[in-house]
Every structure is written in structure tokens, then in C-alpha cells.
Amino acid sequence: MKWAKRQFRFAEYVPYFDRLEKLTIANPTLYREFIMVSTKTEERGTDEVYVGVPNKSFLSAFDGFEEIEESNLPKEIDTLLIADGTTEEFKSRFRFKHKGRAA
């Protein structure tokens, strides 16, 4: 898999969400390898969005994203945007941040 990241404010990531969704539908045998997750940053309303695709050619749909090595992925995420969260492709890379319970 190939990985890239980019920061977005609020819902600015939606056009890229739509692109990844279309790629997933167009390549159903590879659906496990289309992943989009995000983590919150210290700046309110700004998230770091990570996208994973089966090979580098798919990254051309994600202008402005910085290609990164898999070793630079966060181990804990805040949000699963697109992925089958039950697959090993997802579960072997990510877990959700623990959210404290309200008393």
C-alpha cells in the first residue's frame, strides 16, 4: 500500500473522500486497501487526514497530499472516514484513541 497525508479544516477533506469512495467502487477487488482516517491536531477544527491506496498510481487523485512511509502512520486515530474496519489491512495498522468516559 501507498500512504499520503494532508491537513484540512473542518469538512474541507470531502472532495477527497468522494474521490476515494469512487476509486473503491471502481476497484472492488481491492476495497480492503482503500483507507482514509484522521487524527485531530492541536489547532481546533484542523485534522490530519491519511489516505491509503493499493499502489502509487492511485495517489494522483490526491493533489496536495504528502506521500509518507507506512512507518509514519499514526498508531491511534480519531476517525475512520473510509475503510472496512474489520479487515486485517485496517486492524493491523490502526486502533482508536481511548476516549475518557464522562462521570
Side-chain angles (χ1 to χ4, degrees), residues 46-98:
T46 301
D47 291 341
E48 192 82 54
V49 174
Y50 296 85
V51 63
V53 293
N55 61 58
K56 190 171 182 151
S57 66
F58 290 110
L59 286 180
S60 64
F62 299 93
D63 56 299
F65 278 72
E66 170 191 356
E67 190 171 350
I68 61 169
E69 295 296 319
E70 186 164 329
S71 61
N72 293 328
L73 291 173
K75 300 302 178 209
E76 293 186 328
I77 61 168
D78 292 299
T79 307
L80 185 162
L81 297 167
I82 293 181
D84 181 343
T86 66
T87 66
E88 278 307 304
E89 286 81 357
F90 179 82
K91 294 189 312 184
S92 67
R93 292 176 174 91
F94 304 108
R95 66 179 177 270
F96 291 97
K97 290 181 182 175
H98 175 69

Side-chain angles (χ1 to χ4, degrees), residues 16-24 34-36 51 62:
Y16 299 98
F17 176 97
D18 293 343
R19 290 177 194 179
L20 190 63
E21 181 180 49
K22 288 176 183 170
L23 287 171
T24 304
F34 290 101
I35 297 175
M36 182 181 276
V51 63
F62 299 93

